[in-house]
Amino acid sequence: MILEMLPNEKNIVKYLNKTKELGMNNDHIYFINNRGQYISQTDCDRVDVEFVDFTKLSQENMDLMLRADKIIFHGLFYKYKEIINIYRVLMHCSAQLVWVVWGGDFYNEYRKNNSLLGFLTVMPVLKEHYRRILISKFNIIVSGCDFEAISSVYKVKATKLEAQYPYELINCECNFEGIKTENLNILVGHSATKTCRHVSVLKKIHIYNDKIGFIYCPLSYPRNSRYIQRVIKTGNKLFGDKFVPIIDFMDYIEYCEFLNKIDIGIFDNDRQQGMGNIVNLLYLGKKVFISEENTINKYFHEPSYAIFYTNSLNGDNFCTLKKSDAIKNHYSIIKRFSDEQFKEKWEQVYMHHHMIER
């Protein structure tokens, strides 16, 4: 039996639905953290799904963990008491352990637990201590981009595998006629996280003000009000009414229509974030800039993609994209995020065996 430990996040429902649709989860049980508001019992009305309070694991929960042949952690987004409880059970567990890295569960947690503020209080130090022990026990780490960074920080003996969550490619007509040269619609970043580096991007592209129609900045989450106000202030100062902050979530139809009218997407993140937007913009034949230091560069730094880097934002090619490159990106995304690829990669995770000493 495979036990999957899932955060209460919106992408998880798509993952559960896709594995069920493809007949991949006949011997799986799912624990969804009941700390969160994205998924409710009505979203996952299935006998193999249980919402679990990891701050006080029931005896039944612990018995299932001890009986599992493999336990897959989708992210390590656990508070101190949760990770202590999980650690106590796993010390008596013979299951293979898998960590599917989300990015924030590595970068954000590590920075937070190892910051000066963290060292001034006991809880983050202890939490990081138990995280380190737990991470050293993983047999498999699923990470396309961050494995090397994790290995440089933690004592890792795991095998590296790759798998991705399903991305719902937008169902609309794609235009491969290239980028217009005026009234450009530009998307900057994917959220209100500081790693999008909105302010520096806005300053860089101000030289194209006469070519810009609108600049859109999604700032609906996280609720980082001081940072959001700083981005809005900078955008209004540089672009006036052309700057459009998006502070409310869109429904799926609105989101599709919105992305399809974008000409250029700029994602200056220093690590893997905003993949849903990047994937769909490439699929739609749009021009995409990413940071060269971003770990997702490993995904797209190959001949089958035409992608551009934010360190060339002030270059001559800002408004140009060959029709052949737009078409190439479109079909490369279809191939990479097909059901066949999804099933093949995740079944490798489910079936792979790598034993290490505990």
Side-chain angles (χ1 to χ4, degrees):
M1 178 263 289
I2 295 177
L3 175 62
E4 302 199 43
M5 314 268 271
L6 305 161
N8 197 309
E9 294 287 346
K10 53 190 175 182
N11 290 338
I12 290 304
V13 175
K14 293 178 183 177
Y15 169 76
L16 291 173
N17 290 342
K18 181 61 71 174
T19 54
K20 184 176 182 180
E21 174 192 330
L22 299 177
M24 299 166 60
N25 53 6
N26 295 330
D27 192 30
H28 292 223
I29 293 174
Y30 303 93
F31 283 179
I32 297 179
N33 197 325
N34 70 358
R35 175 176 53 81
Q37 56 189 353
Y38 290 106
I39 310 173
S40 65
Q41 192 74 53
T42 54
D43 297 315
C44 300
D45 188 16
R46 295 163 42 168
V47 295
D48 55 356
V49 172
E50 182 178 350
F51 285 78
V52 173
D53 182 353
F54 287 99
T55 64
K56 45 183 179 182
L57 288 167
S58 70
Q59 187 61 50
E60 183 181 358
N61 296 151
M62 292 188 284
D63 288 344
L64 281 170
M65 292 174 70
L66 292 170
R67 283 181 12 226
D69 300 303
K70 179 173 286 189
I71 301 176
I72 302 175
F73 290 84
H74 293 259
L76 288 179
F77 299 101
Y78 296 103
K79 293 186 178 295
Y80 171 72
K81 192 170 183 180
E82 294 173 327
I83 207 158
I84 290 295
N85 287 340
I86 291 169
Y87 169 82
R88 285 172 176 164
V89 177
L90 293 184
M91 291 304 99
H92 305 282
C93 178
S94 61
Q96 283 228 314
L97 303 180
V98 181
W99 177 19
V100 183
V101 181
W102 279 42
D105 57 335
F106 166 52
Y107 293 99
N108 294 349
E109 289 293 317
Y110 178 76
R111 289 168 184 165
K112 184 168 59 179
N113 296 338
N114 291 276
S115 66
L116 177 60
L117 181 62
F119 282 117
L120 293 177
T121 54
V122 174
M123 210 74 78
V125 174
L126 287 175
K127 179 182 172 183
E128 182 63 17
H129 170 72
Y130 287 108
R131 269 173 57 89
R132 283 184 175 274
I133 297 173
L134 181 57
I135 289 169
S136 72
K137 304 297 182 185
F138 284 114
N139 306 88
I140 299 166
I141 293 179
V142 181
S143 172
C145 305
D146 301 313
F147 186 82
E148 288 75 15
I150 292 167
S151 299
S152 70
V153 171
Y154 292 109
K155 185 180 179 182
V156 170
K157 304 174 185 176
T159 297
K160 174 191 173 185
L161 294 179
E162 292 189 20
Q164 295 180 136
Y165 292 100
Y167 289 102
E168 194 169 352
L169 298 179
I170 288 175
N171 183 20
C172 63
E173 187 175 345
C174 300
N175 177 12
F176 303 124
E177 294 306 317
I179 300 174
K180 57 193 180 187
T181 56
E182 57 185 20
N183 294 320
L184 293 165
N185 290 320
I186 299 174
L187 176 65
V188 176
H190 74 288
S191 72
T193 179
K194 293 180 181 179
T195 52
C196 290
R197 300 188 280 207
H198 299 89
V199 171
S200 64
V201 170
L202 293 172
K203 289 178 179 177
K204 283 181 182 179
I205 63 175
H206 185 245
I207 60 174
Y208 305 110
N209 196 19
D210 60 331
K211 300 177 184 294
I212 291 171
F214 292 101
I215 294 178
Y216 298 93
C217 273
L219 300 170
S220 55
Y221 75 96
R223 295 294 183 184
N224 186 350
S225 57
R226 288 181 64 183
Y227 181 73
I228 290 170
Q229 290 306 313
R230 182 181 169 216
V231 173
I232 292 174
K233 182 179 179 180
T234 303
N236 287 337
K237 180 180 178 181
L238 292 174
F239 299 99
D241 293 341
K242 293 181 179 182
F243 180 76
V244 182
I246 301 171
I247 56 176
D248 296 315
F249 282 101
M250 299 181 186
D251 64 30
Y252 180 68
I253 294 175
E254 284 181 297
Y255 170 74
C256 293
E257 292 173 349
F258 167 70
L259 279 190
N260 206 21
K261 73 179 182 182
I262 296 298
D263 299 296
I264 299 172
I266 305 174
F267 305 91
D268 198 31
N269 310 65
D270 60 356
R271 62 179 176 84
Q272 181 177 337
Q273 290 177 307
M275 275 288 281
N277 286 317
I278 293 170
V279 165
N280 270 301
L281 287 174
L282 292 172
Y283 170 77
L284 291 169
K286 313 297 185 176
K287 185 165 187 173
V288 173
F289 288 86
I290 64 171
S291 170
E292 196 165 9
E293 64 185 296
N294 193 330
T295 51
I296 65 169
N297 185 32
K298 296 172 186 176
Y299 278 131
F300 300 115
H301 189 64
E302 53 185 72
S304 55
Y305 292 100
I307 202 157
F308 301 84
Y309 297 121
T310 51
N311 59 9
S312 64
L313 275 174
N314 53 1
D316 297 330
N317 68 347
F318 183 70
C319 304
T320 59
L321 180 66
K322 296 177 184 177
K323 181 178 180 179
S324 59
D325 285 339
I327 294 172
K328 177 171 69 173
N329 286 340
H330 174 79
Y331 286 106
S332 295
I333 290 296
I334 290 175
K335 181 178 179 180
R336 187 177 202 111
F337 294 95
S338 65
D339 284 354
E340 291 77 16
Q341 279 286 302
F342 176 87
K343 186 172 184 178
E344 178 185 330
K345 297 293 186 183
W346 279 105
E347 286 189 338
Q348 287 177 8
V349 175
Y350 302 154
M351 301 300 292
H352 188 88
H353 289 280
H354 172 191
M355 296 308 297
I356 60 175
E357 290 183 10
R358 294 273 169 85

